[in-house]
Amino acid sequence: MKVSQRLISTGIMFLLLAVLLGTTLLAGQKIEAALVSENGQLSCSKAQFDDYIKIMLLTGEMTLSQQPDSGTLAQQQKMIDAFAALSLPKDKTVVAAGHTESGKVYTTTCEIEKCTMYEMAQPQQACLKEHWNDCPYIAIQFKEKNYCFLAPAGQ
């Protein structure tokens, strides 16, 4: 009888230790929220933004950073879905900003592959003229690839 109590106590201790270890490992990992356009053409992730950083000097005279937390995940989803649904010219560089609350997207198609500072500022300026605030840059299309500037809300 004593052996089985000792065995049960040891088993409980190992189980508690495993739960504690698992909880510690999970707490140390930052879970990334998924923010991918409905059609899968635009993904907002740190890895994707890191890809943009490698080519950002080629895209325009003004570099764009990952935007601070803008709106809710649902509002961000609405903006990237609206961007992904646009019929953009495949061979042009296109810069986009959006209004967080309405989900409206503003774009500029650059005259040459590398956008001027004026062209890059146009979509955000158009949004701000209409709404006065909450107009983050959403994405850029460069060489037929889309790069997202939104950090998923809640991160």
Side-chain angles (χ1 to χ4, degrees), residues 34-45:
L35 187 56
V36 178
S37 66
E38 190 174 88
N39 63 9
Q41 291 184 6
L42 184 61
S43 169
C44 302
S45 66

Side-chain angles (χ1 to χ4, degrees), residues 62-77:
M62 182 171 87
T63 59
L64 300 170
S65 64
Q66 199 163 28
Q67 300 296 287
D69 213 354
S70 335
T72 65
L73 201 54
Q75 288 170 324
Q76 290 178 334
Q77 187 70 51

Side-chain angles (χ1 to χ4, degrees), residues 49-119:
F49 184 75
D50 289 344
D51 288 343
Y52 165 74
I53 288 174
K54 295 173 188 172
I55 54 105
M56 78 163 100
L57 295 175
L58 302 173
T59 64
E61 294 175 357
M62 182 171 87
T63 59
L64 300 170
S65 64
Q66 199 163 28
Q67 300 296 287
D69 213 354
S70 335
T72 65
L73 201 54
Q75 288 170 324
Q76 290 178 334
Q77 187 70 51
K78 186 176 179 181
M79 287 190 294
I80 67 165
D81 286 343
F83 174 80
L86 296 173
S87 295
L88 302 176
K90 295 291 181 197
D91 60 339
K92 296 285 186 176
T93 302
V94 180
V95 181
H99 183 244
T100 304
E101 291 177 28
S102 69
K104 186 175 179 182
V105 175
Y106 301 80
T107 62
T108 296
T109 302
C110 301
E111 202 168 309
I112 60 174
E113 186 174 78
K114 187 172 183 172
C115 300
T116 65
M117 193 174 295
Y118 174 77
E119 288 170 325

